[in-house]
Amino acid sequence: MTSTVILFLAVFAASAVEAVEALTIVLAVGVTRAWRSTLWGVAAATLVLAAVVAALGPALKTIPIDTLRLVVGALLLVFGMQWLRKAILRASGYVGLHDEEAAFERSRAQASAAGEERRAGMDWYSFTVAFKGVLLEGLEVAFIVVTFGATEGHLGVAIVAAAAAAALVVVVGVAVRGPLARVPENTLKYAVGVLLTSFGTFWGAEGAGVEWPGADAAILGVVGLVALLSLTVTWLFRRRRAHALRPSAGAA
């Protein structure tokens, strides 16, 4: 039960982050150019993602569980540490925070500057940008859904978590009629990085033959340890940056 709840939260948070970024692209193109073509692009990308999950989910179940956990654990560890690295650099001030308002304006400017290309009643720029945006953001979600679901045998739970996150983001986006700039996206990315790294460590070790004390409940300890180490590194990086920016004593 413990690992299932954390699995749901991890997939939900990761899906929400990607859905916010995809929504920004879709809104910018739809508002600036053509909603009909934009929504067709979204629909086409969604079908492709559904096909990926439907094809890979059952296929992964045929792999021996220990091998699956070792391989998936290693992949999630690499994937999660990339998220965590970027989140730590943002939180410590070395990299600028992601700004959905700025991303929205950039996408709108690009959509406005693009030439008209209509065939068969479709604005193909709108279709292509929406399709590519949803597909690229969604592939990360599909990877997380399939690997989490197959490894724990809860593919249905992972799919529900991803669908719930996407639905929530879309509903809120329609309600506010703009990019979700107030969503704590950078904080969510930090949390997702911690969770992906924790699950990667947990499953990779299990696949290698480690027996965790407390069985699945041990994931809570792994999450706590990864979070503590990440926050410590962030604090050290902040101090280092503050010290580097501080004027020297001999400066005029």
Side-chain angles (χ1 to χ4, degrees), residues 180-207:
L180 304 186
R182 294 185 179 181
V183 172
E185 187 179 348
N186 295 290
T187 302
L188 282 176
K189 287 181 177 179
Y190 201 116
V192 171
V194 169
L195 290 174
L196 293 183
T197 302
S198 300
F199 270 101
T201 303
F202 185 79
W203 286 335
E206 276 196 330

Side-chain angles (χ1 to χ4, degrees), residues 29-112:
V29 177
V31 167
T32 307
R33 295 179 68 96
W35 271 113
R36 179 173 173 271
S37 301
T38 300
L39 293 177
W40 273 115
V42 172
T46 302
L47 287 176
V48 172
L49 292 172
V52 168
V53 173
L56 293 182
L60 289 180
K61 290 182 179 180
T62 63
I63 301 175
I65 188 63
D66 286 339
T67 302
L68 181 62
R69 284 176 174 167
L70 182 60
V71 173
V72 168
L75 290 174
L76 280 179
L77 189 57
V78 172
F79 199 51
M81 289 184 71
Q82 288 179 342
W83 278 58
L84 198 50
R85 172 181 169 275
K86 291 178 182 177
I88 289 173
L89 290 175
R90 287 192 181 103
S92 57
Y94 280 95
V95 175
L97 297 177
H98 186 75
D99 187 341
E100 286 302 327
E101 287 283 2
F104 179 75
E105 292 303 327
R106 283 196 303 271
S107 297
R108 285 197 65 177
Q110 291 169 357
S112 297

Side-chain angles (χ1 to χ4, degrees), residues 230-245:
S230 302
L231 291 171
T232 301
V233 171
T234 302
W235 177 73
L236 290 173
F237 276 20
R238 281 178 179 168
R239 287 197 61 185
R240 178 182 176 184
R241 185 168 183 272
H243 179 74
L245 294 175

Side-chain angles (χ1 to χ4, degrees), residues 2 16 48 55 58 88 102 113 119 124 132 154 157 164-165 182 191 196-197 204 211 213 220 224:
T2 300
V48 172
I88 289 173
R119 293 196 304 271
W124 289 101
K132 185 169 67 174
H154 295 304
V157 174
R182 294 185 179 181
L196 293 183
T197 302
E211 293 186 7
L220 292 174

